[in-house]
């Protein structure tokens, strides 16, 4: 996925200044941390969640972080703030054995697309850290998609069309279009009407087997002629019942922004036609993340008039 290269500390600075993220996690911790409880923070980064849990009365906090640089930083932050009662483990959480069972497992390993940091796999595995009746934060991730009807983002990605200098850039253009982008999508970029946003995935992080390959099928019935330039994706994450973090273009902005999937060529749809979208994401650890989709234009009589598809592996 396209993202600006960013130093590790710059990324931490960015997320620590994301007020929407911070407030939602702080609220969830205030609601669940009880005096004397044990908390495991999976993917602890600077240690924010664990340190807050300690301040709220947790007796013991175990920080698990795969990046040594961050673990050392969190150790230094704990020393600087005289925070005791924390244990610092440098490991991938899946490798850890023999921990005491926790009352609360908390993890902020949400990606822009939601699944690219392997949150599904990490949290399925991390359930073994919980005591019977213990609480997991977050609890659910829902994924949404909507067609985009404005040109701006599409023109930016398709700008190979103007690179020119007497060279044919179509090979490079194809690669660019076969990708997903972290971008700001505004509500006015979406297909108008109340039915634009549709849910294509729903992952319950608290129980049951979570598949790493997620698929969804959506369709939009077109009420008036429209040109589609791609799709926007976003997620809604329930940290605890009633405490929800959302990257919807209609909600307050977060550092996660939205995902933009460009179509190779704009799709011109007439009244009465249907736009179908099939989405697939694969976050098996060996793959890390791959997203692919197929969009089909269906006539009022049910005939497929054209289709386009994207697979990140080609991008
Ligand atoms: C988005 S940061 C969040 C940091 C911190 N928890 C916070 O909320 O500010 C996620 C961190 O989790 C770490 N991480 C992701 N998956 C992990 C895993 N399975 N085991 C250990 N660390 C992990 C990453 O290296 C990264 O530092």
């Amino acid at each position: 996925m396209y993202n600006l290269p960013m130093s590790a500390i710059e990324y931490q600075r960015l997320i620590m200044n994301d007020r929407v993220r911070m407030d939602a996690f702080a609220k969830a911790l205030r609601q669940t941390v009880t005096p004397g409880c044990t908390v495991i923070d999976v993917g602890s980064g600077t240690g924010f969640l664990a340190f807050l849990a300690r301040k709220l009365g947790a007796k013991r906090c175990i920080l698990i972080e795969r990046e040594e640089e961050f673990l050392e930083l969190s150790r230094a932050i704990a020393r600087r703030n005289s925070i005791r009662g924390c244990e610092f483990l440098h490991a991938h959480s899946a490798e850890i054995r023999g921990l005491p069972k926790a009352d609360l497992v908390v993890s902020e390993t949400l990606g822009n697309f939601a699944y690219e940091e392997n949150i599904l796999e990490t949290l399925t595995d991390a359930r073994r850290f919980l005591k019977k009746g213990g609480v997991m934060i977050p609890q659910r991730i829902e994924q949404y998609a909507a067609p985009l009807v404005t040109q701006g983002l599409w023109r930016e990605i398709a700008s190979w069309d103007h690179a020119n200098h007497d060279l044919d850039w179509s090979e490079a253009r194809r690669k660019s279009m076969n990708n997903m982008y972290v971008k700001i999508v505004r509500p006015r970029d979406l297909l108008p009407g109340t039915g634009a946003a549709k849910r294509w995935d729903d992952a319950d992080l608290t129980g049951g087997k979570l598949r790493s390959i997620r698929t969804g099928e959506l369709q939009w019935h077109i009420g008036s002629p429209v040109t589609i330039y791609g799709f926007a994706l976003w997620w809604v994450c329930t940290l605890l019942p009633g405490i929800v973090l959302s990257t919807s273009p209609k909600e307050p902005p977060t550092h996660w922004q939205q995902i933009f999937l460009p179509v190779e060529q704009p799709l011109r749809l007439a009244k009465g036609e249907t736009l179908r979208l099939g989405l697939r994401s694969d976050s098996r650890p060996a793959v890390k993340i791959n997203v692919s989709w197929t969009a089909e234009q269906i006539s009022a009589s049910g005939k497929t008039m054209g289709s386009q598809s994207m697979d990140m592996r080609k991008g």
Side-chain angles (χ1 to χ4, degrees):
M1 186 182 349
Y2 173 81
N3 222 333
L4 277 179
M6 196 183 277
S7 70
I9 191 64
E10 172 58 2
Y11 183 66
Q12 295 295 326
R13 186 194 66 75
L14 199 69
I15 66 175
M16 290 301 292
N17 283 280
D18 179 339
R19 184 54 69 83
V20 176
R21 179 192 96 103
M22 302 292 278
D23 287 354
F25 272 92
K27 192 170 175 193
L29 288 178
R30 278 198 299 275
Q31 203 163 301
T32 41
V33 174
T34 49
C37 74
T38 298
V39 177
I40 297 182
D41 178 356
V42 178
S44 51
T46 54
F48 157 62
L49 297 172
F51 300 155
L52 191 55
R54 269 294 282 157
K55 281 178 176 281
L56 289 167
K59 183 174 175 208
R60 187 174 184 191
C61 290
I62 301 169
L63 291 79
I64 304 174
E65 174 53 56
R66 64 185 176 197
E67 302 292 338
E68 193 167 11
E69 179 189 353
F70 290 152
L71 197 75
E72 286 314 312
L73 179 61
S74 64
R75 243 192 251 276
I77 294 170
R79 268 197 305 273
R80 171 74 61 184
N81 289 278
S82 308
I83 297 172
R84 294 187 181 78
C86 291
E87 290 147 65
F88 298 84
L89 303 181
H90 172 219
H92 188 284
S93 55
E95 293 160 1
I96 290 183
R97 299 284 175 274
L99 286 186
K101 296 279 185 196
D103 301 282
L104 172 63
V105 168
V106 62
S107 183
E108 198 283 78
T109 44
L110 288 153
N112 305 77
F113 169 69
Y115 301 156
E116 68 268 34
E117 274 198 52
N118 302 110
I119 188 168
L120 299 179
E121 298 71 18
T122 290
L123 293 192
T124 306
D125 172 66
R127 289 177 192 151
R128 68 191 164 88
F129 298 146
L130 278 176
K131 277 182 190 162
K132 201 162 185 288
V135 176
M136 171 80 82
I137 301 175
Q139 305 207 329
R140 182 180 184 190
I141 301 174
E142 294 160 272
Q143 293 260 24
Y144 287 81
L148 256 87
V149 295
T150 53
Q151 290 186 32
L153 293 175
W154 184 86
R155 283 175 71 89
E156 181 188 334
I157 307 302
S159 60
W160 291 107
D161 292 345
H162 314 289
N164 211 309
H165 287 273
D166 283 336
L167 289 164
D168 178 342
W169 296 102
S170 53
E171 295 299 328
R173 183 190 193 278
R174 195 166 306 121
K175 250 180 133 39
S176 279
M177 302 317 264
N178 251 293
N179 225 317
M180 55 197 276
Y181 295 86
V182 179
K183 295 284 178 191
I184 295 171
V185 174
R186 304 156 304 177
R188 66 175 181 275
D189 296 323
L190 305 179
L191 183 72
T194 49
K198 295 192 186 293
R199 191 175 71 176
W200 69 272
D201 193 30
D202 186 0
D204 177 2
L205 305 173
T206 61
K209 170 102 183 83
L210 272 177
R211 286 166 293 105
S212 290
I213 297 177
R214 320 287 305 176
T215 55
E217 293 276 341
L218 302 174
Q219 53 183 27
W220 292 269
H221 298 293
I222 302 302
S224 50
V226 69
T227 302
I228 304 295
Y229 294 91
F231 298 91
L233 305 182
W234 64 87
W235 47 258
V236 176
C237 178
T238 302
L239 301 184
L240 288 177
I243 306 180
V244 168
L245 194 50
S246 168
T247 63
S248 162
K250 295 188 175 166
E251 294 297 334
T254 71
H255 79 280
W256 286 289
Q257 303 183 358
Q258 287 79 35
I259 297 290
F260 170 54
L261 305 174
V263 289
E264 192 152 10
Q265 294 300 338
L267 280 165
R268 291 186 175 81
L269 289 128
K271 181 177 175 193
E273 290 181 351
T274 298
L275 174 64
R276 248 187 226 155
L277 177 67
L279 280 151
R280 181 182 190 272
S281 104
D282 182 350
S283 57
R284 284 173 294 174
V287 175
K288 195 161 160 54
I289 189 71
N290 186 61
V291 176
S292 55
W293 58 258
T294 299
E296 284 178 301
Q297 184 172 0
I298 315 286
S299 73
S301 61
K303 194 166 151 253
T304 303
M305 322 216 353
S307 81
Q308 293 190 30
S309 51
M310 180 286 268
D311 187 324
M312 270 174 76
R313 282 169 297 197
K314 297 185 197 155

